[in-house]
Each structure stands twice: as structure tokens, then as C-alpha cells.
Amino acid sequence: ALVEYLNTAGYKFTFVHERKRDIEKSRALKYSSSADRISMLNLQKKKEDKSKGSFVTDTPLFSFYLSAKRVAKSIENKEIVEKINKLTAYHKYDWIVIARNPRELKYVQSERISSPDKAVKKHEQVLEYVKETYSKNKIIYVQGSVDERIQEIIGVIKINQ
């Protein structure tokens, strides 16, 4: 909805789709190890690199680092996590949009399988990472309905043009 609205408003954005969902469906990839995450990171990065101009994604590259960190148990997996961190550390985004209240809107996509409590915990991990990694002026906190969130994002884009 965001990209469509932005483009209708005269901004040129492309949507970089989450490759993980496509590959899980086509290859039956379980995405259960840190090694799976590095493969997905590379595919997602290629997709971002191919996009022309500004883009919107619901899967920033740092999400692969945080996800791998959650599942890493062995020393080998922890080494992969550090490799993922190095691959994503220098990839910067114009803005990071994050909900003020992770419980405000329910997930309606069937691909999202986290319980509400697990989703909130993941949201808190992402928020902590974003605050540590990005400057305050790069973070857009949104709240309200989807339309209200879109208006907040457009307001920031207009101010920063």
C-alpha cells in the first residue's frame, strides 16, 4: 500500500519484495539455520542492488543478522552470524520505519506465523538494533491506521526533499 500511495503522490519508489517467501515456496527451504540466512541475505541484497533509485522493503538486510543471531547455537553458526553482521553493517537506508506500538495493528498476512508475544519480542530486538545503528533522524516512528502511517512517512519525505 505504501509504495502504491507514494507513486500516486508523485514519488518514484519500487518495492523490493521479500525473496525469502518466494524461495521458501519454490524450493521448500526451511530457513532454519544461520547458513540459510546468509543465502537469503545475498539474494535480497542482489534484489536491492538491482532496484533503480529509491525503494521500499519490508526485509531490510539487517533483519537477516538479527534472525541468524536468534537461531545461532553452535560456534560455527555464531561465526556465520558475525559474517552476516559484517555484510549488513555498511548497508544504509534513507529511513527506517518502525511502529511505536507493535501491538497496534495485527498481522494479517498468512506468511506471518509468530505469536503476538514473539512478534513483540522481535520488534523490540529490531528497535534496539536500529537505535544503536542508525541516527535518530533516520528513524520514522509510526502509529495509527495504515493511512495515518503512510501520511507520517510522506510528511518526513516532504521535509527531507
Side-chain angles (χ1 to χ4, degrees):
L2 174 61
V3 172
E4 184 179 311
Y5 190 90
L6 289 170
N7 289 335
T8 302
Y11 301 100
K12 299 232 183 229
F13 282 85
T14 56
F15 180 67
V16 176
H17 178 71
E18 183 181 358
R19 290 285 296 149
K20 177 173 124 347
R21 292 181 189 167
D22 295 337
I23 291 169
E24 281 178 326
K25 290 174 186 172
S26 66
R27 290 191 195 163
L29 181 68
K30 295 192 189 302
Y31 196 64
S32 57
S33 71
S34 296
D36 291 342
R37 283 160 174 81
I38 203 164
S39 297
M40 286 296 153
L41 165 78
N42 288 326
L43 290 168
Q44 189 73 22
K45 186 174 182 328
K46 279 183 190 175
K47 199 145 184 177
E48 285 186 10
D49 291 344
K50 282 183 182 177
S51 69
K52 304 288 183 218
S54 299
F55 65 90
V56 174
T57 184
D58 58 357
T59 312
L61 297 181
F62 63 76
S63 67
F64 294 100
Y65 164 67
L66 295 172
S67 178
K69 194 173 167 182
R70 278 193 296 273
V71 300
K73 291 181 175 71
S74 70
I75 299 295
E76 179 184 322
N77 276 344
K78 289 179 182 176
E79 289 171 359
I80 292 172
V81 169
E82 287 313 308
K83 183 176 181 181
I84 292 172
N85 187 32
K86 287 176 185 169
L87 287 169
T88 63
Y90 300 104
H91 196 83
K92 300 298 179 192
Y93 295 97
D94 291 336
W95 299 290
I96 303 294
V97 178
I98 192 161
R100 286 189 193 282
N101 177 359
R103 294 185 188 271
E104 190 173 38
L105 295 178
K106 292 184 179 187
Y107 286 121
V108 294
Q109 295 171 309
S110 61
E111 293 91 351
R112 308 252 185 214
I113 56 172
S114 291
S115 69
D117 290 337
K118 201 172 191 179
V120 167
K121 185 175 180 178
K122 288 179 183 178
H123 177 87
E124 289 168 352
Q125 290 171 334
V126 168
L127 181 58
E128 182 180 326
Y129 177 85
V130 166
K131 283 179 173 179
E132 290 172 1
T133 308
Y134 293 90
S135 67
K136 290 179 183 179
N137 64 345
K138 297 276 187 182
I139 305 169
I140 304 172
Y141 296 97
V142 294
Q143 62 188 17
S145 69
V146 172
D147 287 337
E148 290 169 325
R149 291 170 181 224
I150 289 171
Q151 291 307 315
E152 286 183 64
I153 295 165
I154 288 177
V156 170
I157 291 171
K158 284 180 181 177
I159 290 169
N160 289 288
Q161 280 188 319

